Amino acid sequence: QEKVVESGGGSVQAGGSLRLSCAASGYTYSANCMAWFRQAPGKEREGVAAVCRGGGSASYADSVKGRFTISQDFAKNTLALQMISLKFEDTAMYYCAAAFGIATLDPMNKMYYNIWGQGTQVTVAT
């Protein structure tokens, strides 16, 4: 069964760090792109960071540039997000997403991802 599972969320003080991990299973081939999205209460789900096979640099939301780093192993369909200097506004449910078998024209657009995890909560206290 195809699925994506995240781990690593939790509560941290502002200025702290967390590392999120994700693994997609049930596929015999690599995802085209993998990404992290987040959704805070009452807000739209937004792209945080994304990376695609075939080279090229990762994409980041402006709000996390310089603080978050995405890393991936497409051979294993795993993804990680290292978050430092966390801010209160980073508080959200974080979702890992993968695009299998579809072309991803905009890696930061959720419409191009067809497999989603259940999410892991990140809470940053002031």
Side-chain angles (χ1 to χ4, degrees):
Q1 181 180 359
E2 301 89 356
K3 63 180 180 180
V4 170
V5 178
E6 307 98 334
S7 61
S11 297
V12 65
Q13 293 290 318
S17 302
L18 281 174
R19 182 179 176 86
L20 306 182
S21 297
C22 162
S25 60
Y27 289 90
T28 58
Y29 55 97
S30 299
N32 289 336
C33 297
M34 296 186 75
W36 290 98
F37 290 80
R38 67 185 181 187
Q39 187 168 17
K43 294 189 176 181
E44 293 277 331
R45 189 171 298 189
E46 63 175 356
V48 175
V51 62
C52 297
R53 283 192 302 142
S57 57
S59 301
Y60 292 94
D62 288 342
S63 59
V64 307
K65 284 180 180 177
R67 300 187 298 120
F68 290 11
T69 303
I70 191 171
S71 58
Q72 81 297 329
D73 184 339
F74 280 111
K76 299 179 179 179
N77 285 326
T78 59
L79 191 71
L81 186 69
Q82 181 66 48
M83 306 183 291
I84 66 171
S85 301
L86 283 160
K87 304 176 181 180
F88 173 76
E89 49 265 40
D90 293 319
T91 296
M93 186 71 79
Y94 283 70
Y95 297 90
C96 177
F100 282 92
I102 59 174
T104 308
L105 301 181
D106 179 3
M108 294 290 276
N109 189 327
K110 59 183 180 291
M111 69 177 289
Y112 290 107
Y113 292 86
N114 54 353
I115 296 295
W116 291 81
Q118 293 298 307
T120 185
Q121 178 67 38
V122 171
T123 302
V124 184
T126 56

